[in-house]
């Protein structure tokens, strides 16, 4: 399965969620406002398996990553295989979940039921009292996307990031409403692909592909 397309007709963003950390199996919120965990042993293996898949595919021409450690480590594995540098883009960082950092959805719902309901309902709602609303995440992700599409027009770019930014890129490509963010599954070290033709609308070609991890 080839993730990139004809570089002469489209710009392709290959979206890679970072590999597992110690917080991932428990589905604990891990944003940019809490700890900055490294990849676990499982996550490191996932990063290497993904790197091998991308190297075999042979279409990626640039690598952009969130500044958070789990993404930098995942991106480094791919970049080493591809012989490419890693471009750090702060706008690709995960959302800040405020005091919800480190909690599961069930724990947040039990401790902050009204705040959680508001967050699920509105992209303007602030999570965890001091966190970052999804409308703010959307603005910076759009900026990162536009920079990449301009800088690497006609090429395939690997974007290593987190659940919220990657779901946002997919949502924007689909023209889907904000509530769709909670209806997408993006597993650790999964690959998704969004294609941006030189003329016409963006399209999502792959979503949550984990075949390289089996």
């Amino acid at each position: 399965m080839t993730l990139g397309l004809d570089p002469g007709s489209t710009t392709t963003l290959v979206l890679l969620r970072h590999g597992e950390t110690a917080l991932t199996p428990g589905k604990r919120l891990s944003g940019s406002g809490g700890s900055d965990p490294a990849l676990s042993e499982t996550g490191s293996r996932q990063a290497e398996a993904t790197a091998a898949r991308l190297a075999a595919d042979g279409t990626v021409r640039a690598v952009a990553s969130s500044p958070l450690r789990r993404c930098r480590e995942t991106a480094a594995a791919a970049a080493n295989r591809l012989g490419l540098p890693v471009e750090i883009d702060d706008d690709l960082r995960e959302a800040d979940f405020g005091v919800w950092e480190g909690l599961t959805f069930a724990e947040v719902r039990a401790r902050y039921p009204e705040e959680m309901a508001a967050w699920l309902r509105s992209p303007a709602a602030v999570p965890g009292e001091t966190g970052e609303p999804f409308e703010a995440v959307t603005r910076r992700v759009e900026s990162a996307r536009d920079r990449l599409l301009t800088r690497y027009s006609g090429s395939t770019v690997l974007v290593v990031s987190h659940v919220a930014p990657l779901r946002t890129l997919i949502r924007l490509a689909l023209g889907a409403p904000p509530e769709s963010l909670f209806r997408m599954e993006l597993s650790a070290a999964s690959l998704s692909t969004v294609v941006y033709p030189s003329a016409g609308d963006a399209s999502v070609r792959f979503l949550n592909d984990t075949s390289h991890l089996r």
Side-chain angles (χ1 to χ4, degrees):
M1 184 186 300
T2 301
L3 292 165
L5 297 177
D6 177 5
S9 61
T10 63
T11 305
T12 301
L13 299 186
V14 177
L15 311 181
L16 169 58
R17 185 187 171 196
H18 61 80
E20 282 191 12
T21 73
L23 297 176
T24 308
K27 296 185 181 293
R28 295 189 175 275
L29 291 168
S30 180
S32 58
S35 62
D36 189 8
L39 294 178
S40 63
E41 289 186 13
T42 297
S44 294
R45 289 195 297 271
Q46 290 172 333
E48 291 298 335
T50 309
R53 161 76 180 280
L54 293 165
D57 185 66
T59 59
V60 171
R61 296 293 177 265
V63 180
S65 173
S66 156
L68 297 182
R69 184 176 178 182
R70 53 199 182 272
C71 284
R72 288 189 284 107
E73 292 177 348
T74 303
N80 288 340
R81 288 273 192 138
L82 296 167
L84 296 169
V86 177
E87 173 186 330
I88 300 299
D89 190 327
D90 189 60
D91 283 339
L92 294 174
R93 69 189 184 278
E94 181 58 290
D96 182 344
F97 299 112
V99 297
W100 297 354
E101 294 275 353
L103 302 179
T104 65
F105 264 60
E107 289 169 342
V108 173
R109 188 173 284 109
R111 299 181 196 182
Y112 308 93
E114 293 182 3
E115 293 90 338
M116 168 67 95
W119 184 61
L120 294 174
R121 188 171 56 247
S122 170
V126 174
E129 299 176 4
T130 60
E132 183 183 22
F134 278 133
E135 63 180 14
V137 174
T138 298
R139 286 193 296 269
R140 61 177 169 81
V141 168
E142 286 178 318
S143 295
R145 177 202 62 193
D146 292 347
R147 285 194 298 274
L148 291 171
L149 294 180
T150 298
R151 187 174 301 142
Y152 300 109
S153 177
S155 297
T156 297
V157 183
L158 177 66
V159 178
V160 186
S161 189
H162 311 262
V163 169
L166 297 181
R167 283 178 174 173
T168 297
L169 285 168
I170 294 165
R171 178 185 78 77
L172 292 170
L174 292 172
E179 56 266 29
S180 66
L181 290 172
F182 299 103
R183 299 182 182 183
M184 299 180 206
E185 177 66 28
L186 291 182
S187 304
S190 64
L191 291 165
S192 303
T193 300
V194 181
V195 173
Y196 301 84
S198 55
D201 295 328
S203 63
V204 177
R205 297 296 175 90
F206 299 106
L207 179 68
N208 197 40
D209 180 4
T210 58
S211 60
H212 49 287
L213 303 179
R214 297 169 191 162

